[in-house]
Amino acid sequence: MENFVTAFDMAVDDALFWLTDHAAFIFDGIRALLEGLYDGILWLLMLAPFHVVSVLAGLIAWRVMKSPGAGIATVLAMVFCWWMGLWAETMSTLALVVAASVIALAISLPLGVLAGLMPRLDRALAPVLDLIQTMPPYIYLLPAIALLGYGPATALIATVIVAMPPAVRLTALGIRRTPTEFIELGHATGVTPAQMFLKIRLPFAVPSIMAGVNQSLMMAFGMVVIAGIVGSGGLGETIFSAIRTLDIAKSIDAAIAIVVLTMVLDRVTQSLARAK
Amino acid sequence: MNQISPGAFLAPAVDWLNANFHPFFALVTRVIEAVLGGIEAMLLVLPPVGLIVLVAGAAFFAAGLRIAVLSACCLGFCWLTGLWTASMQTLAVVVVSVAIAVAIAFPLGIWAARRASVEAALRPILDVMQTVPPWVYLIPAVMIFSLGRVPAIIATIVYGIPPMLRLTTLAFKGVPTDLKELGQAIGAKPRTILWKIEFPAAKPTLLVGLNQCILLSLAMVVLAGLVGAGGLGAEVTRGLTRMEMGLGLRAGLAIVAIALLLDRLSQGALDRQRRA
């Protein structure tokens, strides 16, 4: 048993050395790409002063939720984050969530559509998605940190993995749930496959897909905060370092900012799902 | 910049609680530590092989041969990786917190199923609890119970309650009315109706809730390795922070094994319920 443990550790170290020696350019490329995306989004968010961003967020919430109260609450929530002196951290958390969600959705929406159209792919994906969802999210940081090192890229990769399953599942579900009468109607009127997909299947699937987007976003948010431990920056790292130095006041502030931001994101995307 | 910090107001309150209610928190800590120590000792009193055989035997009767082989493999893997003690510590924390979470969520869930007003009052609280990232739960627990296993258990209990409560309410609301009326017609006491009619009818949904509760608790316990909860989570954290990837990977895989064991065992029991 002892032998197995040492042999295992040696093998892992050797494999990692080999990878970092021979495939460094691949991981450097991935890292540069991810950090570029993150930096770009963060640059956009930090371009305007906090009041402009807050008002914009409030306008979006107002339009989406169709209630001026929600818009005002959103503006207040954002201003509150600024007032606690956590504006930069809040924006970098938001940039991480957005970057991770964009990548996760870019992969999982097409995958979900394919799985919805092809029962065989769906059956092949199910155990993989089950496994991803069974494992505690924390451990996805391990392989990511081994290959990409500390920083936002690691946080992004782990977050993308965690955020994908709900979007794949709910997209496939939505596509599969098209009422048979409408598919038959399509066949009867002789639409092309592309029209069938865009005009009949997709519109029926939109509520389910939006529910998947909401779930993905919330999973991404949870993971981004955890990823503070690998130096992702943002509110997660603020909390992590505040807990380690027992700075209670600061950790409470950051926790409040996280809760406030979660609420805003969740409510906006949820009503987006309901509005359609 | 003129900052506010709600944390700076709350921190003295936490200090005050710690100063004035210290005996109470110390008592809670001691009770939890004692229960946990007892369960851990029970899991570790048998040699690993003995416990593996015992669990496999229990799994065979609860869920069938396939699950029994799977659980033997999972536990065998934990033993092989040289993390047996850590695995048992993690398992003990999960068992204690799931038991307490169920003890709180089950009666509350039944109450909410009986009274619409209770359900309406609970729903927004559960909504908030389920959207907030798990990290945030650790902060108040750490502030009051400092570092160690007790804050981990407290945070895990709080995190595990919402899914169990929701599904308990759903399960008891889904019991067919004619069954309940039948019970009243033959003059059964409310207690008899609850345990002999409603509980068996609600069991499949309750087991789904239990499965969710167990998996979320495991995720939280692993995360709590960050605040010194010990067990496999601590090993992962050590691997992450010291860059000992072999150790981290072994601990990560042991967590996967434990997650698979708990998930398949509770799902296997559920499938047997459905078939019966």
Side-chain angles (χ1 to χ4, degrees), chain A residues 9 83 135 138 142 248 253, chain B residues 4-5 7 143 237 248 250 256:
Chain A
D9 288 4
W83 207 2
M135 292 199 261
Y138 186 37
L142 268 173
I248 293 176
D253 288 350
Chain B
I4 54 156
S5 166
M143 284 187 299
T237 309
R250 267 189 293 131
V256 175

Side-chain angles (χ1 to χ4, degrees), chain B residues 14-93:
Chain B
V14 174
D15 287 342
W16 183 83
L17 272 179
N18 278 333
N20 291 283
F21 285 86
H22 182 71
F24 173 70
F25 295 132
L27 182 73
V28 172
T29 305
R30 279 181 61 182
V31 170
I32 292 180
E33 286 278 2
V35 173
L36 205 59
I39 290 185
E40 225 179 87
M42 251 169 54
L43 287 171
L44 287 170
V45 73
L46 280 175
V49 180
L51 189 72
I52 294 172
V53 171
L54 203 69
V55 170
F60 179 71
F61 286 111
L65 184 64
R66 255 189 63 214
I67 309 282
V69 173
L70 184 82
S71 4
C73 290
C74 288
L75 283 176
F77 183 79
C78 293
W79 183 46
L80 191 66
T81 51
L83 293 165
W84 182 255
T85 316
S87 307
M88 289 308 111
Q89 283 171 347
T90 297
L91 214 52
V93 179

Side-chain angles (χ1 to χ4, degrees), chain A:
Chain A
M1 220 178 73
E2 282 299 312
N3 289 336
F4 173 78
V5 169
T6 31
F8 184 90
D9 288 4
M10 296 268 283
V12 170
D13 282 344
D14 286 348
L16 279 178
F17 278 132
W18 189 87
L19 274 178
T20 39
D21 278 352
H22 293 84
F25 62 97
I26 299 179
F27 298 116
D28 286 347
I30 295 176
R31 194 186 163 120
L33 206 71
L34 290 172
E35 281 180 1
L37 181 66
Y38 164 72
D39 286 340
I41 294 174
L42 188 59
W43 178 79
L44 265 180
L45 284 171
M46 295 298 276
L47 197 61
F50 82 95
H51 35 84
V52 178
V53 178
S54 305
V55 169
L56 271 178
L59 282 177
I60 293 173
W62 178 18
R63 292 284 299 159
V64 171
M65 295 204 251
K66 297 190 177 64
S67 96
I72 293 169
T74 305
V75 174
L76 287 180
M78 302 296 274
V79 170
F80 194 65
C81 291
W82 167 79
W83 207 2
M84 289 191 293
L86 292 169
W87 183 253
E89 286 87 347
T90 308
M91 283 307 107
S92 77
T93 300
L94 198 59
L96 277 173
V97 173
V98 171
S101 306
V102 165
I103 300 173
L105 292 177
I107 301 171
S108 55
L109 292 185
L111 202 60
V113 168
L114 283 181
L117 295 175
M118 291 192 283
R120 214 195 255 154
L121 178 65
D122 194 44
R123 248 172 289 140
L125 275 178
V128 180
L129 296 179
D130 273 343
L131 193 67
I132 295 182
Q133 289 188 309
T134 308
M135 292 199 261
Y138 186 37
I139 65 172
Y140 294 116
L141 290 173
L142 268 173
I145 202 174
L147 297 174
L148 298 173
Y150 278 76
T154 301
L156 280 177
I157 287 277
T159 308
V160 166
I161 297 177
V162 173
M164 268 174 18
V168 174
R169 287 222 147 120
L170 284 160
T171 307
L173 184 77
I175 295 286
R176 229 178 299 129
R177 282 256 180 97
T178 322
T180 341
E181 310 91 84
F182 284 90
I183 294 181
E184 282 166 5
L185 178 73
H187 284 307
T189 51
V191 294
T192 61
Q195 282 174 327
M196 170 76 104
F197 178 71
L198 286 176
K199 305 260 152 133
I200 297 179
R201 282 189 184 264
L202 206 56
F204 277 107
V206 164
S208 182
I209 293 176
M210 289 314 292
V213 171
N214 168 265
Q215 292 246 322
S216 271
L217 211 60
M218 289 348 278
M219 298 295 282
F221 204 100
M223 191 64 208
V224 159
V225 177
I226 293 173
I229 186 186
V230 297
S232 64
L235 293 167
E237 202 175 333
T238 311
I239 290 195
F240 187 59
S241 54
I243 283 191
R244 288 220 293 199
T245 50
L246 285 177
D247 184 350
I248 293 176
K250 185 125 197 201
S251 65
I252 296 179
D253 288 350
I256 293 175
I258 286 175
V259 173
V260 162
L261 201 58
T262 319
M263 289 296 137
V264 169
L265 274 179
D266 182 49
R267 294 299 174 267
V268 169
T269 49
Q270 253 188 31
S271 50
L272 213 57
R274 249 182 255 127
K276 294 295 165 100

